[in-house]
Amino acid sequence: YGSVFGLEDVIEPLWISPLSEPMRMLQAALWWGVGFLLATQLITLRNQLVARNWSAALFDAGGVAGALLYLGCVAAMYLGFTQRPGVLPASLVAVFGFSLVLIYTCSKQTGKWPDRLLLSAMQSLEAVFSDFVNTLSFMRVAAFSISHVALAVAITTLSEEMNTLGQILALVIGNIFIVVMEGALVTIQVLRLEYYEGFSRYFTCFGREFKPIIKPASP
């Protein structure tokens, strides 16, 4: 990013300076989030296949149907935002995936039909909202890079109003503040992204209990 302890004009950035193209940073973070969520979707699908739960692997929100729903929504929103053709086919893919998830969820319910259908619709819509919110959560990654440059520029600008000793103190204290504050924020947010957008999507407490093979003692 071309940032050296708050100094933004010492070296040329290998990619871009975040503050110069904030929209590009936000787009990069969103696409990274899409890739991350698709990876968790594949892990969930793999777990279902290993467990030989074929119906869930095909029709559950964490299976093929859920992947079609997510990819269709992402494609429809991207094509619509960029005003490119193909919004209708992408929307149909999303609707098809949602329909499969809804039918599968409904088949797993045991109550009466009106309540069964309503509960299934709520659970299926929750999967849609969850994917949408989880994708937007990755915009924080871009926000951190932009805020880092903004803080660095503010500290550098403040130091320029001081004498030599004041400039050194402002840069040192300012960078310590940036490292501590951003280190804490990034640590918290990374753990949150790993858990809510990662582990919680494919890790469950169900399965077979691990029983190690114990070699019998020699007589």
Side-chain angles (χ1 to χ4, degrees), residues 1 54 59 72 79 91 93 100 108 125 132 181 188 208:
Y1 297 111
W54 311 118
F59 306 116
L79 295 174
S91 301
V93 171
L100 292 179
K108 304 296 286 186
L125 287 173
F132 179 74
M181 186 188 71
I188 293 171
R208 296 190 303 272

Side-chain angles (χ1 to χ4, degrees), residues 27-197:
Q27 291 175 8
L30 282 176
W31 285 119
W32 177 265
V34 171
F36 184 88
L37 294 179
L38 285 176
T40 62
Q41 192 86 8
L42 292 176
I43 295 174
T44 306
L45 177 60
R46 180 260 179 195
N47 290 343
Q48 298 288 4
L49 293 175
V50 170
R52 299 181 182 278
N53 193 352
W54 311 118
S55 57
L58 290 174
F59 306 116
D60 195 13
V64 176
L68 291 176
L69 169 61
Y70 183 62
L71 288 174
C73 289
V74 170
M77 295 182 66
Y78 172 74
L79 295 174
F81 181 78
T82 57
Q83 297 182 350
R84 298 183 181 181
V87 176
L88 181 59
S91 301
L92 291 176
V93 171
V95 171
F96 178 69
F98 179 81
S99 301
L100 292 179
V101 172
L102 178 62
I103 294 172
Y104 174 77
T105 306
C106 191
S107 68
K108 304 296 286 186
Q109 302 295 332
T110 57
K112 295 182 179 179
W113 267 108
D115 299 335
R116 193 171 170 180
L117 182 60
L118 180 60
L119 183 60
S120 300
M122 292 177 61
Q123 291 180 355
S124 302
L125 287 173
E126 182 183 2
V128 178
F129 294 141
S130 176
D131 288 339
F132 179 74
V133 172
N134 291 343
T135 304
L136 292 182
S137 294
F138 283 85
M139 293 181 69
R140 301 175 193 181
V141 179
F144 289 147
S145 64
I146 295 172
S147 64
H148 170 79
V149 178
L151 285 173
V153 170
I155 292 173
T156 305
T157 303
L158 180 64
S159 67
E160 291 175 352
E161 304 297 328
M162 303 177 182
N163 55 26
T164 304
L165 180 60
Q167 289 182 0
I168 295 175
L169 290 175
L171 290 175
V172 171
I173 296 174
N175 277 282
I176 292 175
F177 170 75
I178 288 176
V179 169
V180 173
M181 186 188 71
E182 291 186 357
L185 288 175
V186 170
T187 299
I188 293 171
Q189 294 302 328
V190 165
L191 290 175
R192 182 194 178 282
L193 288 174
E194 287 183 352
Y195 178 74
Y196 286 104
E197 278 71 41

